[in-house]
C-alpha cells in the first residue's frame, strides 16, 4: 500500500514528538495528529511555542518547522481516520483502577475506543499501528473490533512500540537504537510491515529496523522497560546495603558498570524510578505472567516494584528520623517534582510519594521545581490521597501544609532539612557550600540523586553512602 497520509490518534508525550519527527524527516507525507482533548490540541496549535503541552528539548523548533506545512493538530478524528492509509494509536494505557486486574493490568479502554472508531468510520483499507505500549496479544483484540467494520474494509495490524525516553525524546527519535515493527507473516501483513519500515528508512539505518512477529514486538517493549527498571531497583537495593557497610554506591556502580557485559547505563542510584511507564509496564508484565499461571516469574518481576516502593519510603523515613533525633521542627524543602530532569512530566514521580509520606507524618513542605506547575503538584498529591480513600477534609488539611515556591532559595529558607528528588542542573549549580556553611549545625541536605559533591560539607547525606 502506498502511504501518503498518516493519522496519529493521541497527541500526548509520544504522539506529538513522534509525529513531529516523522513530519520533519518525511516532507512527502501529510501527518494528522488528532486527540479528543480540545485543550491539548489548542496547546499544540498555540502561537507561543512555550505553551506546547509537552516540554522536550528541540521539540518547539521541530513544531515551528513542520506545523501547518505537513503536520496538523486537530480534534477532527473521523476526518483524519478516513483520509489516512496508516493510523497510529498512541493513546494512554494506564494501570486499571477497577475491575479485573485492578492495580496491575493495563487499561485498554482507550485503545479499544480507537479501534471501534476506526471500524465505524473507515471506508478504505488501513494499516493500523499499535504505538501505545500494550500487553502481548492485544493485536488479536484489535483485529476483532476492526472486523466489525460494515463496509468490507481490510485492516492490517502492526506493532511498533516506542522506546523514546522523556527529556531526550527528540534525540532518541532521531537516533533510535532500534525500531521494531511486528506484523503478520501473511503477504498483506508483510506488505504492511514494509510500508512502515519504509517510512523509518528515511532516517533510520536499515540494520536498525527490526521486523518480528506481532507478539514478539509487543512483548519486547514490556521486556525492555522491565529490564531497565530492574537495573534501577538492583542499584537502589544495593544503596541500602552501602549505607550499612561503608561502601559507596557511586563507586560500586562505576566498578560494576565498567564490565562491558553489564554496561554503565541505568545504574544511577535514585529516590526510586518514576514516570508514566516503568511501574505500569512492570505491573502489566506481572499480571500477564499471573494470567498464564507463571507465578514464580510474576513474583520475580513484582520485586522490582516492591524495591522501588521501599526506596521511596526509605528516603522519606531517613529525613524524618534525622529531624526527630535532633528534635527539629517539621519543616522540609523538596527540590524537584518532575520524575526526571528536562521534562515537565511528574506522572508517578518519586517526589509525590516522598511528599505524601512526609505530609502524613505532620511535616510542612516547601517545594520547588523549575518546570512543574503548582496546580499539577497539588493535583498529583490530591489524586494519590484520594486513591488511598482519604476523605475530602483530610486531603484539604494535608494539602494546606505544602507550599510551592518560585526559586530554590525561597524553598530552602523556611526549612530545617532539604531533599533533592530530581537531578535538575540548577540544583547542581547552586552554591551549596556557602548555603550549608551558614545553616544550623543540625541542618541536613538529603541528596536523593547523588548530585552534589559530598566532600564540600558534612551536612550532606548522599543516598547510598
Ligand atoms: P498521554 O497521556 O500523554 O497521551 C495520550 C493522549 O491520547 C491524550 O492526549 C488523550 O486525550 C488521547 N486519547 C485517549 N483516548 C483517545 C481517543 N479514544 N481518541 C482520541 N484521543 C484519545 O500518553 P503518552 O505518554 O503519550 O503515552 C501513550 C502510550 O505510549 C502509552 O501506552 C505509553 O505507555 C506509551 N509510551 C510512552 C512513553 C513516554 O515517554 N511517555 C514512551 C514510550 C511509550
Ligand atoms: C523509559 C524508558 O527509558 C524508555 O525507553 C521508554 O520508552 C519509556 O520509559 C516508556 O515506555 O515510557 P522514561 O520513563 O521517559 O523512559 O525515562 P527514563 O530515563 O527511563 O527514567 C525513568 C525513571 O528512572 C526516572 O525517574 C529516572 O530518574 C529513573 N532512573 C533512570 C534512575 O533512577 N536511575 C537511572 O540510572 C536511570
Amino acid at each position: 500500500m502506498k502511504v501518503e497520509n498518516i493519522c496519529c490518534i493521541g497527541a500526548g508525550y509520544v504522539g506529538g514528538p513522534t509525529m513531529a519527527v516523522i513530519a520533519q524527516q518525511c516532507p512527502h507525507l501529510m501527518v494528522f495528529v488528532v486527540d479528543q482533548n480540545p485543550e491539548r490540541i489548542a496547546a499544540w496549535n498555540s502561537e507561543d511555542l512555550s505553551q506546547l503541552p509537552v516540554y522536550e528539548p528541540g521539540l518547539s523548533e521541530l513544531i515551528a518547522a513542520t506545523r501547518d506545512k505537513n503536520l496538523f493538530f486537530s480534534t477532527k478524528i473521523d476526518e483524519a481516520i478516513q483520509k489516512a492509509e496508516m493510523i497510529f494509536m498512541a493513546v494512554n494505557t494506564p494501570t486499571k483502577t477497577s475491575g479485573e486486574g485492578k492495580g496491575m493490568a493495563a487499561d485498554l479502554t482507550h485503545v479499544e475506543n480507537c479501534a471501534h472508531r476506526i471500524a465505524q468510520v473507515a471506508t478504505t483499507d488501513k494499516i493500523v499501528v499499535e504505538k501505545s505500549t500494550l500487553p502481548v496479544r492485544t493485536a488479536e483484540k484489535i483485529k476483532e473490533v476492526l472486523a466489525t467494520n460494515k463496509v468490507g474494509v481490510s485492516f492490517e495490524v502492526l506493532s511498533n512500540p516506542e522506546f523514546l525516553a522523556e527529556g531526550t525524546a527528540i534525540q532518541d527519535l532521531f537516533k533510535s537504537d532500534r525500531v521494531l515493527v511486528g506484523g503478520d507473516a501473511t503477504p498483506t501483513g508483510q506488505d504492511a510491515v514494509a510500508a512502515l519500515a519504509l517510512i523509518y528508512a528515511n532516517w533510520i539505518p536499515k540494520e536498525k529496523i527490526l521486523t518480528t512477529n506481532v507478539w514478539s514486538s509487543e512483548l519486547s517493549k514490556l521486556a525492555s522497560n522491565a529490564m531497565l527498571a530492574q537495573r534501577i531497583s538492583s542499584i537502589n537495593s544495593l544503596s541500602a546495603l552501602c549505607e550499612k557497610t561503608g561502601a559507596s554506591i557511586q563507586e560500586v556502580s562505576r566498578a560494576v558498570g565498567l564490565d562491558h557485559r553489564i554496561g554503565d547505563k541505568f545504574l544511577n542510584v535514585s529516590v526510586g524510578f518514576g514516570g508514566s511507564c516503568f511501574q505500569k509496564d512492570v505491573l502489566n508484565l506481572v499480571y500477564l505472567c499471573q494470567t498464564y499461571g507463571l507465578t514464580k516469574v510474576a513474583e520475580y518481576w513484582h520485586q522490582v516494584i516492591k524495591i522501588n516502593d521501599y526506596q521511596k519510603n526509605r528516603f522519606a523515613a531517613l529525613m524524618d528520623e534525622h529531624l526527630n533525633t535532633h528534635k527539629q521542627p517539621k519543616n522540609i524543602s523538596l527540590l524537584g517534582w518532575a520524575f526526571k530532569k528536562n521534562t515537565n512530566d511528574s506522572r508517578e514521580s518519586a517526589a509525590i510519594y516522598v511528599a505524601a509520606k512526609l505530609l502524613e507524618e505532620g511535616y510542612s513542605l516547601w517545594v520547588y521545581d523549575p518546570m512543574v506547575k503548582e496546580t499539577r503538584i497539588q493535583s498529583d498529591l490530591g489524586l494519590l490521597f484520594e486513591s488511598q480513600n482519604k476523605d475530602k477534609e483530610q486531603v484539604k488539611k494535608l494539602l494546606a501544609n505544602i507550599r510551592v515556591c518560585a526559586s530554590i532559595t525561597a524553598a530552602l529558607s523556611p526549612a530545617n532539612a532539604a531533599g533533592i528528588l530530581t537531578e535538575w542542573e540548577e540544583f547542581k549549580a547552586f552554591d551549596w557550600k556557602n548555603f550549608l556553611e551558614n545553616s544550623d549545625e543540625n541542618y541536613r541536605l538529603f541528596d536523593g540523586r547523588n548530585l552534589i559533591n559530598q566532600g564540600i560539607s558534612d551536612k550532606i547525606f548522599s543516598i547510598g553512602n
Side-chain angles (χ1 to χ4, degrees), residues 354-374:
V354 171
K357 194 164 162 55
L358 292 171
L359 288 171
E360 281 168 356
E361 293 295 334
Y363 281 87
S364 292
L365 302 179
W366 282 264
V367 180
Y368 169 66
D369 186 284
M371 287 302 295
V372 185
K373 293 184 177 138
E374 175 163 4

Side-chain angles (χ1 to χ4, degrees), residues 295-332:
T295 319
K296 291 284 170 208
V297 187
E299 274 169 20
Y300 171 76
W301 288 111
H302 207 177
Q303 205 57 32
V304 171
I305 299 299
K306 289 182 182 169
I307 286 290
N308 200 47
D309 292 340
Y310 164 76
Q311 188 76 343
K312 293 183 270 192
N313 284 328
R314 202 170 76 77
F315 190 75
L318 282 167
M319 291 199 264
D320 181 38
E321 196 183 303
H322 173 81
L323 291 181
N324 274 338
T325 308
H326 295 277
K327 300 191 171 39
Q328 295 293 297
K330 293 191 150 206
N331 299 321
I332 289 184

Side-chain angles (χ1 to χ4, degrees), residues 371-439:
M371 287 302 295
V372 185
K373 293 184 177 138
E374 175 163 4
T375 45
R376 180 67 197 245
I377 294 174
Q378 295 275 349
S379 82
D380 284 341
L381 280 167
L383 287 172
L384 176 67
F385 288 141
E386 277 166 32
S387 76
Q388 296 167 341
N389 294 325
K390 293 192 168 55
D391 65 41
K392 278 207 168 101
E393 258 324 292
Q394 275 177 301
V395 176
K396 204 173 151 195
K397 237 175 165 174
L398 288 165
L399 291 183
N401 288 331
I402 187 156
R403 284 162 197 79
V404 179
C405 305
S407 67
I408 302 183
T409 38
L412 288 179
S413 53
N416 311 87
I420 296 182
L421 305 179
T422 312
E423 73 282 25
W424 287 105
E425 293 300 326
E426 191 181 338
F427 302 159
K428 199 172 178 172
F430 185 74
D431 187 356
W432 286 106
K433 193 169 176 356
N434 180 37
F435 175 81
L436 292 171
E437 269 168 13
N438 292 306
S439 63

Side-chain angles (χ1 to χ4, degrees), residues 9-15 34-37 40 77 90-93 110 113-114 131-133 162 164 166 221 276-277 280 347:
I9 310 180
Y13 284 85
V14 168
V34 289
D35 202 290
Q36 64 190 9
N37 179 340
R40 210 163 214 193
I77 300 174
V91 292
N92 38 330
T93 49
H110 300 300
N113 288 346
C114 289
K131 191 49 134 172
S132 300
T133 302
E162 185 47 61
L164 68 81
E166 289 179 30
K221 172 63 196 178
S276 61
C277 294
K280 139 179 110 62
R347 289 177 289 180

Side-chain angles (χ1 to χ4, degrees), residues 236-249 252 310 314 318 321 461-465:
N236 283 345
S237 73
L238 291 170
S239 73
L241 186 59
C242 285
E243 288 166 26
K244 296 279 182 207
T245 57
S248 149
I249 196 65
V252 172
Y310 164 76
R314 202 170 76 77
L318 282 167
E321 196 183 303
F461 167 82
S462 237
I463 195 161
N465 285 276

